[in-house]
Amino acid sequence: EAGVVQSPRYKIIEKKQPVAFWCNPISGHNTLYWYRQNLGQGPELLIRYENEEAVDDSQLPKDRFSAERLKGVDSTLKIQPAELGDSAVYLCASSIFPRGVVGVPEKSTDTQYFGPGTRLTVL
Amino acid sequence: LAKTTQPISMDSYEGQEVNITCSHNNIATNDYITWYQQFPSQGPRFIIQGYKTKVTNEVASLFIPADRKSSTLSLPRVSLSDTAVYYCLVGDMDQAGTALIFGKGTTLSVSS
């Protein structure tokens, strides 16, 4: 089974330029997450989707960040314009949650499967 | 959401057993515990998950005492390749999107 796919793996841009990251989750996973991970820190959630609906985007800096998951499958995260402080690794993860989804047990857990991430460097 | 506390770093030698303890004093009845492992330049990888007592898989064991206020990830006979960051998360079985706070994790360094 293919894992979570992310592209590109690396991206170098100058500040004020736009950038976009793409994620294809594991087939059948209804929940998709975008995280940002700064050096030496754990991943921090930016946005969580259940199918095509963004159910938690409270940590997404909405002035410059946007995300979409139009058909409830793959997703794109965009930054426009990028700032120096946006340099980080952007991780995508997927899982099967919540309960009520066919094939998911009554009590579910958010076991997430992560992609390799995109390392963004803003110069 | 229950907050977790882990040691920032641990050192070990090859062949030793490593135990990493995570404190989650405010864990709720519906909360479960998940551990992830992260190697450099990779995303976190699920290791083990449990609710109470002991869980064992091919990679690790997870010990959870009766009060569930802490949990211990046990890695038997570590090798150099076990050098990684280990994260302990707590989440609610009845609420999606709760096991998402990673913290800084525990950096395990294994030497020969």
Side-chain angles (χ1 to χ4, degrees):
Chain A
E1 178 184 282
V4 175
V5 178
Q6 290 188 249
S7 68
R9 289 296 314 277
Y10 305 92
K11 189 73 175 180
I12 301 174
I13 61 173
E14 294 188 347
K15 63 181 180 181
K16 300 185 181 180
Q17 294 299 306
V19 64
F21 315 120
W22 177 79
C23 172
N24 192 32
I26 292 174
S27 178
H29 281 197
N30 62 324
T31 305
L32 184 146
Y33 315 75
W34 282 103
Y35 288 86
R36 176 171 57 189
Q37 186 171 26
N38 292 309
L39 190 64
Q41 305 292 318
E44 297 176 298
L45 181 71
L46 292 174
I47 189 169
R48 178 172 66 89
Y49 282 93
E50 287 181 12
N51 299 304
E52 65 274 7
E53 181 183 0
V55 295
D56 182 0
D57 63 355
S58 58
Q59 301 302 313
L60 188 72
K62 298 181 181 63
D63 57 336
R64 297 182 299 106
F65 286 65
S66 64
E68 60 182 16
R69 193 185 185 200
L70 294 176
K71 296 183 179 180
V73 180
D74 57 348
S75 175
T76 302
L77 177 69
K78 298 178 182 178
I79 308 175
Q80 182 171 8
E83 297 179 352
L84 295 176
D86 295 330
S87 294
V89 175
Y90 291 83
L91 294 162
C92 178
S94 67
S95 70
I96 298 179
F97 205 104
R99 293 172 294 132
V101 175
V102 174
V104 178
E106 184 64 17
K107 290 289 187 181
S108 298
T109 61
D110 261 327
T111 300
Q112 298 171 73
Y113 297 86
F114 285 81
T118 296
R119 181 176 296 277
L120 174 67
T121 301
V122 182
L123 303 176
Chain B
L1 298 176
K3 181 180 178 180
T4 62
T5 303
Q6 308 174 229
I8 293 296
S9 63
M10 295 183 69
D11 296 316
S12 182
Y13 291 98
E14 284 188 293
Q16 290 187 333
E17 177 185 74
V18 171
N19 296 307
I20 305 174
T21 296
C22 178
S23 172
H24 27 79
N25 290 318
N26 297 322
I27 193 167
T29 302
N30 272 345
D31 286 344
Y32 59 95
I33 301 149
T34 306
W35 285 80
Y36 290 87
Q37 173 191 56
Q38 187 176 26
F39 298 115
S41 300
Q42 295 186 27
R45 180 178 73 114
F46 170 84
I47 302 177
I48 198 166
Q49 186 175 81
Y51 180 78
K52 61 181 178 181
T53 62
K54 176 184 175 182
V55 179
T56 297
N57 61 23
E58 64 277 6
V59 176
S61 294
L62 179 60
F63 298 92
I64 305 169
D67 66 6
R68 304 202 320 125
K69 293 183 182 299
S70 67
S71 59
T72 298
L73 174 72
S74 181
L75 304 173
R77 298 180 297 280
V78 295
S79 64
L80 296 176
S81 63
D82 291 315
T83 294
V85 180
Y86 293 83
Y87 297 97
C88 165
L89 281 72
V90 172
D92 189 328
M93 284 187 287
D94 283 331
Q95 289 190 56
T98 56
L100 304 177
I101 300 175
F102 279 78
K104 292 187 177 182
T106 298
T107 299
L108 172 66
S109 299
V110 181
S111 304
S112 57

